């Protein structure tokens, strides 16, 4: 018998598989948000194998259907960026809530997943912090390298510092185990004064 978790996971994957944006990983093409979702889930299971079902689903659905809310539909300034990010969180939570309801989860479970996806009470709620740690670890492991080629050193140092500030001590320890290029490791150390 298929469990609600299996159904929800399959449906989240099916939504993300519709992403028209393609990303290459080890010479294989993937829909961008499906690849991100898989990386989030795998990183969570490595980092915290006993994570609750709520966190597991929140990790998979963190960017669900993200391409449907275009950055360009908001002003291209800091205020516009922050508004876009806030709207995205609500959009991801609402999209996921619909899937969870269809999969047979109760309202308490659905509300908790929405709470996590909206990253409420960061630094105060242990599971929100866990999810944020995983988001930061996935960024550092998979997305820092492409970022390095797009931004100047000062901006990169600022991004790394902000990322580091969002993480827990356990997250920091895990981040230092990632296999960075020598150049990126030096950049991280310089950013953090290590």
């Amino acid at each position: 018998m298929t469990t609600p978790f299996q159904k929800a996971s399959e449906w989240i994957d099916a939504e993300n598989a519709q992403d028209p944006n393609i990303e290459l990983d080890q010479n294989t093409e993937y829909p961008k948000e499906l690849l991100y979702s898989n990386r989030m889930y795998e990183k969570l299971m490595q980092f915290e194998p006993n994570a609750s079902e709520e966190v597991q689903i929140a990790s998979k659905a963190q960017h669900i259907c993200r391409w449907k809310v275009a950055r360009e539909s908001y002003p291209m300034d800091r205020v516009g960026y922050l508004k876009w990010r806030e709207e995205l969180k609500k959009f991801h939570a609402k999209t996921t809530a619909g899937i969870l309801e269809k999969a047979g989860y109760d309202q308490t479970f659905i509300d908790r997943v929405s709470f996590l996806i909206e990253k409420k009470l960061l630094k105060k709620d242990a599971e929100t912090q866990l999810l944020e740690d995983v988001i930061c670890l996935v960024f550092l492991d998979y997305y820092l390298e492409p970022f390095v080629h797009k931004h100047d050193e000062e901006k990169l140092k600022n991004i790394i510092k902000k990322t580091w500030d969002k993480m827990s001590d356990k997250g920091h320890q895990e981040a230092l185990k990632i296999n960075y290029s020598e150049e990126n490791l030096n950049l991280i150390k310089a950013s953090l004064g290590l």
Side-chain angles (χ1 to χ4, degrees), residues 87-106:
E87 290 302 317
L88 271 175
K89 285 183 202 170
K90 290 176 191 159
F91 169 74
H92 296 321
K94 189 176 175 189
T95 305
T96 307
I99 288 172
L100 296 180
E101 200 174 333
K102 200 169 73 165
Y105 282 105
D106 65 25

Side-chain angles (χ1 to χ4, degrees), residues 5-121:
F5 181 79
Q6 287 167 325
K7 283 185 205 165
S9 295
E10 279 173 28
W11 291 336
I12 289 165
D13 285 349
E15 287 294 326
N16 280 328
Q18 294 174 47
D19 189 350
N21 304 295
I22 299 298
E23 200 165 298
L24 205 59
D25 181 48
Q26 295 175 352
N27 297 323
T28 305
E29 290 186 344
Y30 295 92
K32 185 180 174 188
E33 294 310 343
L34 180 62
L35 181 61
Y36 180 79
S37 174
N38 290 340
R39 285 170 169 172
M40 282 290 296
Y41 184 72
E42 283 164 20
K43 187 68 74 179
L44 173 67
M45 293 291 89
Q46 285 166 11
F47 183 59
E48 187 48 76
N50 299 318
S52 72
E53 212 165 290
E54 291 91 337
V55 180
Q56 289 181 47
I57 286 175
S59 75
K60 284 188 72 65
Q62 189 59 34
H63 278 185
I64 191 166
C65 298
R66 192 182 185 101
W67 67 93
K68 292 182 179 179
V69 184
R71 171 67 186 96
E72 296 74 35
S73 58
Y74 292 83
M76 296 303 283
D77 56 16
R78 179 92 181 129
V79 174
Y81 173 75
L82 294 173
K83 180 116 179 70
W84 174 65
R85 290 292 299 266
E86 274 312 301
E87 290 302 317
L88 271 175
K89 285 183 202 170
K90 290 176 191 159
F91 169 74
H92 296 321
K94 189 176 175 189
T95 305
T96 307
I99 288 172
L100 296 180
E101 200 174 333
K102 200 169 73 165
Y105 282 105
D106 65 25
Q107 197 56 49
T108 305
F109 186 96
I110 294 168
D111 289 346
R112 181 63 181 161
V113 172
S114 295
F115 176 96
L116 293 168
I117 289 175
E118 291 186 46
K119 294 197 269 191
K120 292 185 175 173
L121 295 181

Side-chain angles (χ1 to χ4, degrees), residues 137-154:
L137 289 167
V138 165
F139 168 71
L140 290 168
D141 200 352
Y142 298 103
Y143 300 97
L144 178 62
E145 184 66 42
F147 242 74
V148 166
H149 303 294
K150 287 186 202 159
H151 301 288
D152 63 64
E153 194 171 330
E154 276 319 299

Side-chain angles (χ1 to χ4, degrees), residues 173-185:
Q173 288 163 19
E174 194 68 18
L176 292 171
K177 294 178 194 167
I178 292 171
N179 188 17
Y180 303 103
S181 68
E182 193 178 344
E183 184 188 10
N184 287 351
L185 183 60

